[in-house]
Amino acid sequence: MSAIHKISEDFYESSYTLIAIHSSLEDYSIAYLINRQLTSKLNRAPIDLDFSENVSFPFFEWKDTLNDAYWTLIINTSVEKESKKQEGLFSNELTYTTHFLVPEYKEVDYFIKIEQAVEETEDIVKKLLMIPEIITAYSIEVIKLKSKNNLIF
């Protein structure tokens, strides 16, 4: 009989900063603008964050070796296409289901997660707000999140 090991929430302390971004741009465009404004080097990760076969969240990452930080830009929504057998006028139409990485913040388009951040979060938010295509940006208290386990990757 094998033992089952579980990590309790007390064991895993959130040692990262989370910034919410509201923007209607595509993920590659927002990554480009952030790279230009913050002089970061966010690159598309080779694999997506998968929660199931049909639900995945693409993300960009950057290992900041100068400040010993790991940056991640991730989209908050994933749209799943389903073809269900329906009767009637719309029998051949696809249905779409939207999934959220952080359901408490459904209105947020992107998150920046910075592990071991050295620079002040307020400075990063101020620089992000200087990008005209970003509607708003603000930091989020990770301790208050109910779905913070979705951000462990």
Side-chain angles (χ1 to χ4, degrees):
M1 188 164 147
S2 63
I4 298 175
H5 301 281
K6 293 184 179 181
I7 298 175
S8 70
E9 287 189 33
D10 296 335
F11 179 74
Y12 180 77
E13 290 185 25
S14 58
S15 61
Y16 59 88
T17 302
L18 192 64
I19 300 172
I21 297 176
H22 296 258
S23 178
S24 60
L25 291 177
E26 293 291 326
D27 56 357
Y28 59 88
S29 297
I30 198 81
Y32 171 76
L33 292 172
I34 290 171
N35 282 342
R36 199 173 67 184
Q37 182 68 28
L38 299 177
T39 61
S40 59
K41 295 180 178 136
L42 291 164
N43 290 317
R44 178 78 159 77
I47 57 170
D48 294 342
L49 177 63
D50 294 328
F51 281 107
S52 70
E53 184 178 317
N54 297 324
V55 180
S56 65
F57 297 90
F59 67 96
F60 292 76
E61 60 186 352
W62 172 46
K63 175 84 169 123
D64 182 6
T65 54
L66 184 65
N67 296 315
D68 193 31
Y70 179 70
W71 290 57
T72 308
L73 171 69
I74 189 161
I75 193 164
N76 191 31
T77 58
S78 175
V79 179
E80 177 184 7
K81 294 179 190 177
E82 299 177 275
S83 58
K84 294 182 179 177
K85 292 282 185 179
Q86 298 177 357
E87 293 182 20
L89 183 60
F90 301 105
S91 61
N92 295 331
E93 293 293 317
L94 291 173
T95 59
Y96 298 93
T97 306
T98 303
H99 301 277
F100 296 95
L101 181 67
V102 182
E104 301 95 288
Y105 288 94
K106 291 181 180 180
E107 68 281 355
V108 172
D109 299 308
Y110 299 96
F111 289 105
I112 293 180
K113 176 184 168 187
I114 309 169
E115 296 178 21
Q116 304 297 328
V118 175
E119 192 175 354
E120 290 293 321
T121 307
E122 295 91 26
D123 293 339
I124 296 170
V125 171
K126 285 179 187 176
K127 289 177 184 177
L128 288 172
L129 290 172
M130 293 173 67
I131 301 172
E133 291 83 1
I134 291 180
I135 299 166
T136 189
Y138 50 90
S139 62
I140 295 177
E141 292 185 41
V142 179
I143 298 170
K144 295 182 180 180
L145 286 178
K146 293 178 186 174
S147 59
K148 60 185 159 199
N149 290 342
N150 291 351
L151 296 168
I152 301 173
F153 53 90

